[in-house]
Amino acid sequence: MDCFLIRGGRRLSGSIAVAGSKNAALPILAVSLMTGEPCRFRNISQLRDIQTQIKILNTLGVESHWAGKVVETRVRDSYNSTAPYELVKTMRAGVCVLGPLLAARGECAVSLPGGCNLGERPIDLHLRGLEALGAEISIEGGYVKAKAPKGGLRGAEIYLGGKFGSSVLATDNVMCAAVLAKGVTVIECAACEPEVVDLADCLNSMGAQISGHGSPRITIKGVKRLKACDWSVIPDRIETATFLIAGAITRSPITITGCRPEHQLATIDVLRQMGIRVERGRTSLTVVPAERWKTAEVTTLPYPAFATDVQSPMLALMALAEGTSILTERIYPDRFMTAAELRRMGATISVANGQAVVQGVPRLTGAPVMASDLRAGAALVIAGMAAEGETRLSRIYHIERGYERLDERLRKLGAAIERVADEDAAPGAAG
Ligand code: EPU
């Protein structure tokens, strides 16, 4: 197992190009299941989660070819419609094959994803939505078994609101199933995230009739079949926000290229409150850094509000602000594992009831720390780049799930980050 050795205190310079969105690519690759024709997906990042999704699709009879940033797929046979536990347990997003499989094959079994480092993540909304389309759903042996009624799925009016608002993957699953259902489906309280919009646009390019995506009410007129697809996924908005915060925390005027500035309004607004400006180009953003920054009060909520996936990097920035910041987590109230690691670097953070109170300190100091999930890992890289001395970050396999060659790309900006063998890794610590 490898870890990152980060020597902090360096200023960064230059520009960094944003990779294709992981969370857009995962459900978009699953539309391969919905057509017998060939599909080509572009701007696909080389990430562990994408590899897992392709393995799941292969198990489901999809043949694939991946070269550079392009993945080509085609359904070879539709014999196996079971997405196995061994794969879905390693990546919760594997559950997004459920809607496409049910729509295309009328019957499927998808492993329940199981536990997750972010806290409880139920899939009741996914199931409720598919049942509203007429599917019979049961849980057997750890699997969701779904079956369309005789005559196929039927359009319906579906309210998809949950305890914490909408769910991205529940909206994706129900939308995919409704695309091939008979009649009209209206999803109320749909997720408005850009990744849902990208999926809907991709499906429309294949002949689906979806409208209203990007708003809380999506209308889908069912069609009989979908055609071939050639789709380029959107740039990763979470990676973009991570780089903005990397520039801010290292006081570096870096430029992020190939991004969608309109997806960053919430992050840019919080940075502005803290006294860090961001200059906006058509497809680029440049950080105008400040030597010291102010505090902020931030609440994570569904898009277009501040994203939960940017919460951990923001915590690192708040740790060095002048005064006390408050970060309230409304999507995953238990997603604060980063706080304990940042404390090891000298941060003053207390966490209770889904809220972190961050008393800014003048400096962080390097320390051995551990990534508990993907975004926590990115936050610790950022904190390490700002800290005095050396940070040894272990369990970086979490980072590789969602950030492509992060160390190499940050090195090009001038960061002192090296990938080395983790000699202290305990055997079996990969769990
Ligand atoms: N929820 C329910 N019932 C459901 C589904 C969701 O109550 O049936 C609740 C969850 O408990 C949670 C909220 O709704 O409070 C968010 O939903 P969920 O966990 O279902 O999120 P998701 O759609 O599975 C996507 C991203 C996550 C991101 C969340 C929130 C993908 C592949 N994943 O997950 O990304 O945090 O939306 O924006 O799109 C990441 O990239 O690091 C990541 C975790």
Side-chain angles (χ1 to χ4, degrees), residues 22-24 26-27 92-93 95 118 120-127 162-170 172 193 195 237-238 302 307-309 330-333 335 373-375:
K22 163 181 86 77
N23 289 348
L26 292 171
R92 201 184 171 282
V95 78
L118 309 186
E120 219 195 321
R121 292 176 76 185
I123 61 160
D124 55 309
L125 294 175
H126 304 233
L127 305 186
K163 248 188 328 203
F164 300 105
S166 53
S167 157
V168 173
L169 291 181
D172 290 347
E193 271 70 3
E195 295 77 15
R237 71 189 165 98
I238 307 301
T308 172
D309 295 335
R330 284 273 161 75
I331 309 290
Y332 306 117
R335 192 183 207 178
D373 74 77
L374 164 60
R375 309 301 172 189

mmCIF file of all heavy atoms in Angstrom, residues 22-24 26-27 92-93 95 118 120-127 162-170 172 193 195 237-238 302 307-309 330-333 335 373-375, ligand 1:
data_model
loop_
_atom_site.group_PDB
_atom_site.id
_atom_site.type_symbol
_atom_site.label_atom_id
_atom_site.label_comp_id
_atom_site.label_asym_id
_atom_site.label_seq_id
_atom_site.Cartn_x
_atom_site.Cartn_y
_atom_site.Cartn_z
ATOM 1 N N LYS A 22 -16.812 12.187 -12.066
ATOM 2 C CA LYS A 22 -17.035 10.800 -11.620
ATOM 3 C C LYS A 22 -18.533 10.537 -11.436
ATOM 4 O O LYS A 22 -19.060 9.544 -11.916
ATOM 5 C CB LYS A 22 -16.301 10.561 -10.296
ATOM 6 C CG LYS A 22 -16.776 9.330 -9.534
ATOM 7 C CD LYS A 22 -16.051 9.124 -8.233
ATOM 8 C CE LYS A 22 -16.614 9.853 -7.040
ATOM 9 N NZ LYS A 22 -17.820 9.285 -6.426
ATOM 10 N N ASN A 23 -19.185 11.463 -10.738
ATOM 11 C CA ASN A 23 -20.583 11.193 -10.378
ATOM 12 C C ASN A 23 -21.543 11.356 -11.546
ATOM 13 O O ASN A 23 -22.681 10.890 -11.480
ATOM 14 C CB ASN A 23 -21.008 12.075 -9.198
ATOM 15 C CG ASN A 23 -20.330 11.620 -7.915
ATOM 16 O OD1 ASN A 23 -19.744 10.538 -7.867
ATOM 17 N ND2 ASN A 23 -20.392 12.445 -6.880
ATOM 18 N N ALA A 24 -21.097 12.011 -12.624
ATOM 19 C CA ALA A 24 -21.903 12.007 -13.849
ATOM 20 C C ALA A 24 -21.626 10.718 -14.617
ATOM 21 O O ALA A 24 -22.544 10.067 -15.128
ATOM 22 C CB ALA A 24 -21.578 13.214 -14.711
ATOM 23 N N LEU A 26 -20.706 7.697 -13.648
ATOM 24 C CA LEU A 26 -21.170 6.403 -13.115
ATOM 25 C C LEU A 26 -22.574 6.045 -13.613
ATOM 26 O O LEU A 26 -22.764 4.974 -14.194
ATOM 27 C CB LEU A 26 -21.077 6.386 -11.584
ATOM 28 C CG LEU A 26 -19.645 6.409 -11.034
ATOM 29 C CD1 LEU A 26 -19.645 6.603 -9.516
ATOM 30 C CD2 LEU A 26 -18.894 5.133 -11.395
ATOM 31 N N PRO A 27 -23.595 6.912 -13.430
ATOM 32 C CA PRO A 27 -24.915 6.549 -13.963
ATOM 33 C C PRO A 27 -24.982 6.606 -15.487
ATOM 34 O O PRO A 27 -25.733 5.849 -16.109
ATOM 35 C CB PRO A 27 -25.863 7.577 -13.337
ATOM 36 C CG PRO A 27 -25.002 8.683 -12.867
ATOM 37 C CD PRO A 27 -23.646 8.133 -12.608
ATOM 38 N N ARG A 92 -20.922 2.054 -3.546
ATOM 39 C CA ARG A 92 -22.348 2.191 -3.338
ATOM 40 C C ARG A 92 -23.081 2.616 -4.613
ATOM 41 O O ARG A 92 -24.225 2.216 -4.862
ATOM 42 C CB ARG A 92 -22.534 3.240 -2.244
ATOM 43 C CG ARG A 92 -23.819 3.153 -1.587
ATOM 44 C CD ARG A 92 -23.995 4.259 -0.593
ATOM 45 N NE ARG A 92 -25.367 4.228 -0.157
ATOM 46 C CZ ARG A 92 -26.361 4.689 -0.854
ATOM 47 N NH1 ARG A 92 -26.145 5.257 -2.014
ATOM 48 N NH2 ARG A 92 -27.596 4.590 -0.402
ATOM 49 N N ALA A 93 -22.410 3.450 -5.427
ATOM 50 C CA ALA A 93 -23.055 3.967 -6.637
ATOM 51 C C ALA A 93 -23.397 2.866 -7.634
ATOM 52 O O ALA A 93 -24.142 3.101 -8.580
ATOM 53 C CB ALA A 93 -22.170 5.015 -7.299
ATOM 54 N N VAL A 95 -25.438 0.805 -7.296
ATOM 55 C CA VAL A 95 -26.891 0.650 -7.227
ATOM 56 C C VAL A 95 -27.593 1.383 -8.386
ATOM 57 O O VAL A 95 -28.753 1.115 -8.689
ATOM 58 C CB VAL A 95 -27.402 1.121 -5.829
ATOM 59 C CG1 VAL A 95 -27.481 2.631 -5.738
ATOM 60 C CG2 VAL A 95 -28.723 0.487 -5.468
ATOM 61 N N LEU A 118 -19.827 7.296 5.270
ATOM 62 C CA LEU A 118 -20.475 8.599 5.453
ATOM 63 C C LEU A 118 -21.660 8.510 6.402
ATOM 64 O O LEU A 118 -22.326 9.500 6.668
ATOM 65 C CB LEU A 118 -20.951 9.155 4.109
ATOM 66 C CG LEU A 118 -19.933 9.184 2.974
ATOM 67 C CD1 LEU A 118 -20.500 9.892 1.771
ATOM 68 C CD2 LEU A 118 -18.651 9.857 3.419
ATOM 69 N N GLU A 120 -25.387 6.425 7.550
ATOM 70 C CA GLU A 120 -26.462 5.626 6.958
ATOM 71 C C GLU A 120 -26.862 6.196 5.596
ATOM 72 O O GLU A 120 -27.057 7.397 5.453
ATOM 73 C CB GLU A 120 -27.667 5.643 7.886
ATOM 74 C CG GLU A 120 -28.336 4.282 7.912
ATOM 75 C CD GLU A 120 -29.717 4.330 8.508
ATOM 76 O OE1 GLU A 120 -29.891 5.058 9.485
ATOM 77 O OE2 GLU A 120 -30.586 3.639 7.969
ATOM 78 N N ARG A 121 -26.973 5.343 4.617
ATOM 79 C CA ARG A 121 -27.397 5.806 3.292
ATOM 80 C C ARG A 121 -28.443 4.839 2.745
ATOM 81 O O ARG A 121 -28.137 3.940 1.974
ATOM 82 C CB ARG A 121 -26.200 5.906 2.335
ATOM 83 C CG ARG A 121 -25.239 7.011 2.736
ATOM 84 C CD ARG A 121 -24.033 7.023 1.853
ATOM 85 N NE ARG A 121 -24.264 7.591 0.536
ATOM 86 C CZ ARG A 121 -23.345 7.609 -0.425
ATOM 87 N NH1 ARG A 121 -22.160 7.097 -0.210
ATOM 88 N NH2 ARG A 121 -23.615 8.145 -1.597
ATOM 89 N N PRO A 122 -29.696 5.042 3.136
ATOM 90 C CA PRO A 122 -30.744 4.120 2.720
ATOM 91 C C PRO A 122 -31.037 4.233 1.218
ATOM 92 O O PRO A 122 -30.601 5.190 0.572
ATOM 93 C CB PRO A 122 -31.959 4.575 3.535
ATOM 94 C CG PRO A 122 -31.697 6.004 3.864
ATOM 95 C CD PRO A 122 -30.214 6.171 3.931
ATOM 96 N N ILE A 123 -31.790 3.271 0.685
ATOM 97 C CA ILE A 123 -32.205 3.397 -0.724
ATOM 98 C C ILE A 123 -33.736 3.311 -0.843
ATOM 99 O O ILE A 123 -34.265 2.955 -1.891
ATOM 100 C CB ILE A 123 -31.506 2.369 -1.654
ATOM 101 C CG1 ILE A 123 -31.827 0.930 -1.259
ATOM 102 C CG2 ILE A 123 -30.021 2.581 -1.728
ATOM 103 C CD1 ILE A 123 -31.571 -0.040 -2.421
ATOM 104 N N ASP A 124 -34.418 3.661 0.247
ATOM 105 C CA ASP A 124 -35.881 3.591 0.240
ATOM 106 C C ASP A 124 -36.513 4.435 -0.874
ATOM 107 O O ASP A 124 -37.509 4.037 -1.476
ATOM 108 C CB ASP A 124 -36.438 4.016 1.612
ATOM 109 C CG ASP A 124 -35.943 5.402 2.022
ATOM 110 O OD1 ASP A 124 -34.721 5.622 1.978
ATOM 111 O OD2 ASP A 124 -36.778 6.260 2.369
ATOM 112 N N LEU A 125 -35.917 5.582 -1.183
ATOM 113 C CA LEU A 125 -36.508 6.446 -2.219
ATOM 114 C C LEU A 125 -36.411 5.790 -3.601
ATOM 115 O O LEU A 125 -37.339 5.876 -4.396
ATOM 116 C CB LEU A 125 -35.800 7.801 -2.255
ATOM 117 C CG LEU A 125 -35.968 8.692 -1.030
ATOM 118 C CD1 LEU A 125 -35.106 9.942 -1.166
ATOM 119 C CD2 LEU A 125 -37.434 9.088 -0.857
ATOM 120 N N HIS A 126 -35.288 5.122 -3.845
ATOM 121 C CA HIS A 126 -35.117 4.426 -5.137
ATOM 122 C C HIS A 126 -36.266 3.412 -5.284
ATOM 123 O O HIS A 126 -36.915 3.329 -6.326
ATOM 124 C CB HIS A 126 -33.813 3.619 -5.197
ATOM 125 C CG HIS A 126 -32.562 4.401 -4.922
ATOM 126 N ND1 HIS A 126 -31.497 4.383 -5.794
ATOM 127 C CD2 HIS A 126 -32.179 5.195 -3.898
ATOM 128 C CE1 HIS A 126 -30.519 5.137 -5.296
ATOM 129 N NE2 HIS A 126 -30.916 5.628 -4.140
ATOM 130 N N LEU A 127 -36.475 2.648 -4.200
ATOM 131 C CA LEU A 127 -37.435 1.547 -4.276
ATOM 132 C C LEU A 127 -38.858 2.089 -4.369
ATOM 133 O O LEU A 127 -39.668 1.597 -5.158
ATOM 134 C CB LEU A 127 -37.278 0.622 -3.062
ATOM 135 C CG LEU A 127 -35.844 0.080 -2.856
ATOM 136 C CD1 LEU A 127 -35.810 -0.938 -1.725
ATOM 137 C CD2 LEU A 127 -35.288 -0.548 -4.135
ATOM 138 N N GLY A 162 -37.026 13.077 0.453
ATOM 139 C CA GLY A 162 -36.649 12.295 1.639
ATOM 140 C C GLY A 162 -36.402 13.218 2.810
ATOM 141 O O GLY A 162 -36.621 14.423 2.714
ATOM 142 N N LYS A 163 -35.934 12.618 3.892
ATOM 143 C CA LYS A 163 -35.623 13.354 5.133
ATOM 144 C C LYS A 163 -34.739 14.568 4.889
ATOM 145 O O LYS A 163 -34.903 15.615 5.468
ATOM 146 C CB LYS A 163 -34.812 12.395 6.011
ATOM 147 C CG LYS A 163 -35.466 11.920 7.223
ATOM 148 C CD LYS A 163 -34.577 11.125 8.158
ATOM 149 C CE LYS A 163 -33.491 10.291 7.545
ATOM 150 N NZ LYS A 163 -32.989 9.208 8.278
ATOM 151 N N PHE A 164 -33.733 14.370 4.035
ATOM 152 C CA PHE A 164 -32.749 15.433 3.825
ATOM 153 C C PHE A 164 -32.920 16.083 2.455
ATOM 154 O O PHE A 164 -31.997 16.645 1.911
ATOM 155 C CB PHE A 164 -31.333 14.877 3.966
ATOM 156 C CG PHE A 164 -31.076 14.293 5.324
ATOM 157 C CD1 PHE A 164 -31.031 12.936 5.510
ATOM 158 C CD2 PHE A 164 -30.912 15.123 6.410
ATOM 159 C CE1 PHE A 164 -30.800 12.389 6.759
ATOM 160 C CE2 PHE A 164 -30.690 14.594 7.674
ATOM 161 C CZ PHE A 164 -30.623 13.233 7.852
ATOM 162 N N GLY A 165 -34.078 15.952 1.872
ATOM 163 C CA GLY A 165 -34.301 16.554 0.550
ATOM 164 C C GLY A 165 -34.325 15.477 -0.513
ATOM 165 O O GLY A 165 -34.894 14.408 -0.326
ATOM 166 N N SER A 166 -33.641 15.759 -1.633
ATOM 167 C CA SER A 166 -33.697 14.831 -2.757
ATOM 168 C C SER A 166 -32.483 13.904 -2.733
ATOM 169 O O SER A 166 -31.551 14.125 -1.974
ATOM 170 C CB SER A 166 -33.697 15.640 -4.039
ATOM 171 O OG SER A 166 -32.602 16.523 -4.002
ATOM 172 N N SER A 167 -32.505 12.901 -3.580
ATOM 173 C CA SER A 167 -31.339 12.015 -3.717
ATOM 174 C C SER A 167 -30.956 11.923 -5.191
ATOM 175 O O SER A 167 -31.812 11.691 -6.054
ATOM 176 C CB SER A 167 -31.671 10.628 -3.165
ATOM 177 O OG SER A 167 -30.825 9.657 -3.743
ATOM 178 N N VAL A 168 -29.687 12.100 -5.449
ATOM 179 C CA VAL A 168 -29.192 12.096 -6.836
ATOM 180 C C VAL A 168 -29.426 10.730 -7.485
ATOM 181 O O VAL A 168 -30.056 10.609 -8.541
ATOM 182 C CB VAL A 168 -27.689 12.451 -6.859
ATOM 183 C CG1 VAL A 168 -27.108 12.288 -8.252
ATOM 184 C CG2 VAL A 168 -27.468 13.859 -6.347
ATOM 185 N N LEU A 169 -28.929 9.682 -6.840
ATOM 186 C CA LEU A 169 -29.006 8.368 -7.484
ATOM 187 C C LEU A 169 -30.433 7.825 -7.514
ATOM 188 O O LEU A 169 -30.790 7.083 -8.432
ATOM 189 C CB LEU A 169 -28.064 7.374 -6.798
ATOM 190 C CG LEU A 169 -26.558 7.656 -7.001
ATOM 191 C CD1 LEU A 169 -25.714 6.601 -6.306
ATOM 192 C CD2 LEU A 169 -26.182 7.731 -8.465
ATOM 193 N N ALA A 170 -31.275 8.208 -6.545
ATOM 194 C CA ALA A 170 -32.685 7.781 -6.602
ATOM 195 C C ALA A 170 -33.345 8.442 -7.811
ATOM 196 O O ALA A 170 -34.079 7.785 -8.575
ATOM 197 C CB ALA A 170 -33.411 8.157 -5.314
ATOM 198 N N ASP A 172 -31.833 9.426 -10.518
ATOM 199 C CA ASP A 172 -31.259 8.779 -11.710
ATOM 200 C C ASP A 172 -31.962 7.449 -11.997
ATOM 201 O O ASP A 172 -32.355 7.165 -13.137
ATOM 202 C CB ASP A 172 -29.765 8.484 -11.491
ATOM 203 C CG ASP A 172 -28.914 9.746 -11.465
ATOM 204 O OD1 ASP A 172 -29.419 10.812 -11.850
ATOM 205 O OD2 ASP A 172 -27.744 9.648 -11.053
ATOM 206 N N GLU A 193 -29.036 18.319 -9.257
ATOM 207 C CA GLU A 193 -27.586 18.348 -9.446
ATOM 208 C C GLU A 193 -27.223 18.294 -10.941
ATOM 209 O O GLU A 193 -27.906 17.616 -11.732
ATOM 210 C CB GLU A 193 -26.949 17.145 -8.731
ATOM 211 C CG GLU A 193 -26.565 17.371 -7.278
ATOM 212 C CD GLU A 193 -27.740 17.510 -6.313
ATOM 213 O OE1 GLU A 193 -28.897 17.381 -6.753
ATOM 214 O OE2 GLU A 193 -27.496 17.747 -5.114
ATOM 215 N N GLU A 195 -25.154 16.580 -12.374
ATOM 216 C CA GLU A 195 -24.922 15.204 -12.833
ATOM 217 C C GLU A 195 -26.235 14.562 -13.295
ATOM 218 O O GLU A 195 -26.249 13.740 -14.212
ATOM 219 C CB GLU A 195 -24.293 14.359 -11.711
ATOM 220 C CG GLU A 195 -22.883 14.813 -11.301
ATOM 221 C CD GLU A 195 -22.860 16.051 -10.416
ATOM 222 O OE1 GLU A 195 -23.920 16.414 -9.863
ATOM 223 O OE2 GLU A 195 -21.781 16.667 -10.281
ATOM 224 N N ARG A 237 -17.399 18.875 -10.926
ATOM 225 C CA ARG A 237 -17.559 20.129 -10.153
ATOM 226 C C ARG A 237 -16.978 19.985 -8.754
ATOM 227 O O ARG A 237 -16.605 20.977 -8.126
ATOM 228 C CB ARG A 237 -19.028 20.566 -10.118
ATOM 229 C CG ARG A 237 -19.916 19.722 -9.285
ATOM 230 C CD ARG A 237 -21.384 20.057 -9.442
ATOM 231 N NE ARG A 237 -22.154 18.960 -8.889
ATOM 232 C CZ ARG A 237 -22.675 18.953 -7.666
ATOM 233 N NH1 ARG A 237 -22.532 20.000 -6.889
ATOM 234 N NH2 ARG A 237 -23.353 17.902 -7.244
ATOM 235 N N ILE A 238 -16.880 18.764 -8.246
ATOM 236 C CA ILE A 238 -16.319 18.600 -6.904
ATOM 237 C C ILE A 238 -14.798 18.752 -6.976
ATOM 238 O O ILE A 238 -14.170 19.380 -6.132
ATOM 239 C CB ILE A 238 -16.711 17.228 -6.303
ATOM 240 C CG1 ILE A 238 -18.235 17.030 -6.358
ATOM 241 C CG2 ILE A 238 -16.175 17.094 -4.880
ATOM 242 C CD1 ILE A 238 -19.059 18.074 -5.622
ATOM 243 N N PRO A 302 -28.705 20.067 -0.786
ATOM 244 C CA PRO A 302 -28.666 19.685 -2.201
ATOM 245 C C PRO A 302 -28.367 20.885 -3.107
ATOM 246 O O PRO A 302 -28.588 22.034 -2.717
ATOM 247 C CB PRO A 302 -30.088 19.148 -2.449
ATOM 248 C CG PRO A 302 -30.573 18.706 -1.110
ATOM 249 C CD PRO A 302 -29.967 19.669 -0.131
ATOM 250 N N ALA A 307 -22.182 21.997 -1.548
ATOM 251 C CA ALA A 307 -22.202 20.527 -1.671
ATOM 252 C C ALA A 307 -21.550 19.831 -0.476
ATOM 253 O O ALA A 307 -20.478 20.254 -0.022
ATOM 254 C CB ALA A 307 -21.472 20.114 -2.951
ATOM 255 N N THR A 308 -22.157 18.752 -0.034
ATOM 256 C CA THR A 308 -21.556 17.944 1.040
ATOM 257 C C THR A 308 -20.172 17.427 0.638
ATOM 258 O O THR A 308 -19.286 17.287 1.479
ATOM 259 C CB THR A 308 -22.461 16.765 1.438
ATOM 260 O OG1 THR A 308 -21.742 15.924 2.336
ATOM 261 C CG2 THR A 308 -22.917 15.936 0.249
ATOM 262 N N ASP A 309 -19.985 17.181 -0.656
ATOM 263 C CA ASP A 309 -18.695 16.639 -1.095
ATOM 264 C C ASP A 309 -17.557 17.664 -1.017
ATOM 265 O O ASP A 309 -16.389 17.310 -1.188
ATOM 266 C CB ASP A 309 -18.809 16.079 -2.524
ATOM 267 C CG ASP A 309 -19.755 14.890 -2.575
ATOM 268 O OD1 ASP A 309 -19.934 14.228 -1.542
ATOM 269 O OD2 ASP A 309 -20.330 14.639 -3.647
ATOM 270 N N ARG A 330 -25.991 18.797 6.465
ATOM 271 C CA ARG A 330 -27.399 18.404 6.424
ATOM 272 C C ARG A 330 -27.651 17.168 5.564
ATOM 273 O O ARG A 330 -28.754 16.655 5.529
ATOM 274 C CB ARG A 330 -28.246 19.560 5.863
ATOM 275 C CG ARG A 330 -28.484 20.674 6.842
ATOM 276 C CD ARG A 330 -29.736 20.377 7.699
ATOM 277 N NE ARG A 330 -29.761 21.167 8.912
ATOM 278 C CZ ARG A 330 -30.061 22.466 8.961
ATOM 279 N NH1 ARG A 330 -30.367 23.100 7.864
ATOM 280 N NH2 ARG A 330 -30.051 23.101 10.102
ATOM 281 N N ILE A 331 -26.636 16.730 4.829
ATOM 282 C CA ILE A 331 -26.871 15.565 3.964
ATOM 283 C C ILE A 331 -26.415 14.292 4.683
ATOM 284 O O ILE A 331 -27.167 13.309 4.742
ATOM 285 C CB ILE A 331 -26.106 15.696 2.613
ATOM 286 C CG1 ILE A 331 -26.384 17.054 1.949
ATOM 287 C CG2 ILE A 331 -26.450 14.546 1.668
ATOM 288 C CD1 ILE A 331 -27.773 17.263 1.404
ATOM 289 N N TYR A 332 -25.202 14.318 5.205
ATOM 290 C CA TYR A 332 -24.685 13.178 5.972
ATOM 291 C C TYR A 332 -24.199 13.712 7.319
ATOM 292 O O TYR A 332 -23.011 14.073 7.454
ATOM 293 C CB TYR A 332 -23.508 12.512 5.254
ATOM 294 C CG TYR A 332 -23.772 12.091 3.830
ATOM 295 C CD1 TYR A 332 -23.059 12.651 2.771
ATOM 296 C CD2 TYR A 332 -24.721 11.115 3.536
ATOM 297 C CE1 TYR A 332 -23.288 12.255 1.465
ATOM 298 C CE2 TYR A 332 -24.956 10.724 2.223
ATOM 299 C CZ TYR A 332 -24.237 11.306 1.196
ATOM 300 O OH TYR A 332 -24.466 10.913 -0.091
ATOM 301 N N PRO A 333 -25.072 13.784 8.337
ATOM 302 C CA PRO A 333 -24.684 14.418 9.609
ATOM 303 C C PRO A 333 -23.455 13.790 10.270
ATOM 304 O O PRO A 333 -22.821 14.415 11.111
ATOM 305 C CB PRO A 333 -25.931 14.239 10.478
ATOM 306 C CG PRO A 333 -27.052 13.999 9.523
ATOM 307 C CD PRO A 333 -26.470 13.337 8.319
ATOM 308 N N ARG A 335 -20.699 12.865 8.602
ATOM 309 C CA ARG A 335 -19.530 12.947 7.713
ATOM 310 C C ARG A 335 -18.492 13.936 8.254
ATOM 311 O O ARG A 335 -18.169 14.933 7.601
ATOM 312 C CB ARG A 335 -19.998 13.398 6.325
ATOM 313 C CG ARG A 335 -18.944 13.249 5.250
ATOM 314 C CD ARG A 335 -19.444 13.781 3.920
ATOM 315 N NE ARG A 335 -18.781 13.104 2.825
ATOM 316 C CZ ARG A 335 -19.016 13.319 1.543
ATOM 317 N NH1 ARG A 335 -19.910 14.188 1.173
ATOM 318 N NH2 ARG A 335 -18.367 12.651 0.614
ATOM 319 N N ASP A 373 -12.346 8.603 3.800
ATOM 320 C CA ASP A 373 -13.148 8.492 2.580
ATOM 321 C C ASP A 373 -12.519 9.398 1.532
ATOM 322 O O ASP A 373 -11.542 10.105 1.813
ATOM 323 C CB ASP A 373 -14.636 8.822 2.844
ATOM 324 C CG ASP A 373 -14.907 10.302 3.055
ATOM 325 O OD1 ASP A 373 -14.939 11.036 2.057
ATOM 326 O OD2 ASP A 373 -15.076 10.737 4.209
ATOM 327 N N LEU A 374 -13.114 9.358 0.355
ATOM 328 C CA LEU A 374 -12.568 10.098 -0.784
ATOM 329 C C LEU A 374 -12.357 11.592 -0.495
ATOM 330 O O LEU A 374 -11.267 12.136 -0.679
ATOM 331 C CB LEU A 374 -13.565 9.887 -1.926
ATOM 332 C CG LEU A 374 -13.545 10.761 -3.138
ATOM 333 C CD1 LEU A 374 -12.220 10.652 -3.829
ATOM 334 C CD2 LEU A 374 -14.667 10.309 -4.083
ATOM 335 N N ARG A 375 -13.411 12.260 -0.046
ATOM 336 C CA ARG A 375 -13.320 13.715 0.125
ATOM 337 C C ARG A 375 -12.484 14.079 1.348
ATOM 338 O O ARG A 375 -11.831 15.128 1.376
ATOM 339 C CB ARG A 375 -14.711 14.340 0.220
ATOM 340 C CG ARG A 375 -15.658 13.925 -0.901
ATOM 341 C CD ARG A 375 -15.150 14.281 -2.281
ATOM 342 N NE ARG A 375 -15.996 13.701 -3.325
ATOM 343 C CZ ARG A 375 -15.686 13.713 -4.619
ATOM 344 N NH1 ARG A 375 -14.558 14.238 -5.046
ATOM 345 N NH2 ARG A 375 -16.501 13.176 -5.504
HETATM 346 N N1 EPU B 1 -31.522 9.325 1.113
HETATM 347 C C1 EPU B 1 -32.591 8.720 1.689
HETATM 348 N N2 EPU B 1 -33.187 7.688 1.026
HETATM 349 C C2 EPU B 1 -32.762 7.260 -0.182
HETATM 350 C C3 EPU B 1 -31.667 7.880 -0.774
HETATM 351 C C4 EPU B 1 -31.071 8.929 -0.088
HETATM 352 O O1 EPU B 1 -32.996 9.078 2.795
HETATM 353 O O2 EPU B 1 -33.358 6.322 -0.741
HETATM 354 C C5 EPU B 1 -30.828 10.429 1.805
HETATM 355 C C6 EPU B 1 -29.460 9.973 2.327
HETATM 356 O O3 EPU B 1 -29.550 9.412 3.599
HETATM 357 C C7 EPU B 1 -28.683 11.256 2.320
HETATM 358 C C8 EPU B 1 -29.235 12.002 1.112
HETATM 359 O O4 EPU B 1 -30.523 11.444 0.867
HETATM 360 O O5 EPU B 1 -28.983 12.030 3.437
HETATM 361 C C9 EPU B 1 -28.250 11.910 -0.054
HETATM 362 O O6 EPU B 1 -28.508 10.824 -0.806
HETATM 363 P P1 EPU B 1 -27.626 9.597 -1.196
HETATM 364 O O7 EPU B 1 -26.773 9.067 -0.122
HETATM 365 O O8 EPU B 1 -28.595 8.691 -1.865
HETATM 366 O O9 EPU B 1 -26.693 10.218 -2.232
HETATM 367 P P2 EPU B 1 -26.352 9.534 -3.586
HETATM 368 O O10 EPU B 1 -27.312 10.013 -4.588
HETATM 369 O O11 EPU B 1 -26.184 8.063 -3.375
HETATM 370 C C10 EPU B 1 -24.653 11.223 -4.626
HETATM 371 C C11 EPU B 1 -23.170 11.258 -4.842
HETATM 372 C C12 EPU B 1 -22.451 11.437 -3.506
HETATM 373 C C13 EPU B 1 -22.943 12.734 -2.888
HETATM 374 C C14 EPU B 1 -24.469 12.691 -2.734
HETATM 375 C C15 EPU B 1 -25.056 13.963 -2.193
HETATM 376 C C16 EPU B 1 -22.907 9.830 -6.757
HETATM 377 C C17 EPU B 1 -22.352 8.605 -7.343
HETATM 378 N N3 EPU B 1 -22.735 10.006 -5.463
HETATM 379 O O12 EPU B 1 -24.894 10.087 -3.828
HETATM 380 O O13 EPU B 1 -21.061 11.558 -3.812
HETATM 381 O O14 EPU B 1 -22.336 12.946 -1.647
HETATM 382 O O15 EPU B 1 -25.092 12.417 -4.000
HETATM 383 O O16 EPU B 1 -24.837 15.004 -3.059
HETATM 384 O O17 EPU B 1 -23.429 10.657 -7.468
HETATM 385 C C18 EPU B 1 -18.743 11.424 -3.427
HETATM 386 O O18 EPU B 1 -18.566 11.640 -4.638
HETATM 387 O O19 EPU B 1 -17.796 11.474 -2.585
HETATM 388 C C19 EPU B 1 -20.090 11.121 -2.948
HETATM 389 C C20 EPU B 1 -20.325 10.514 -1.791
#
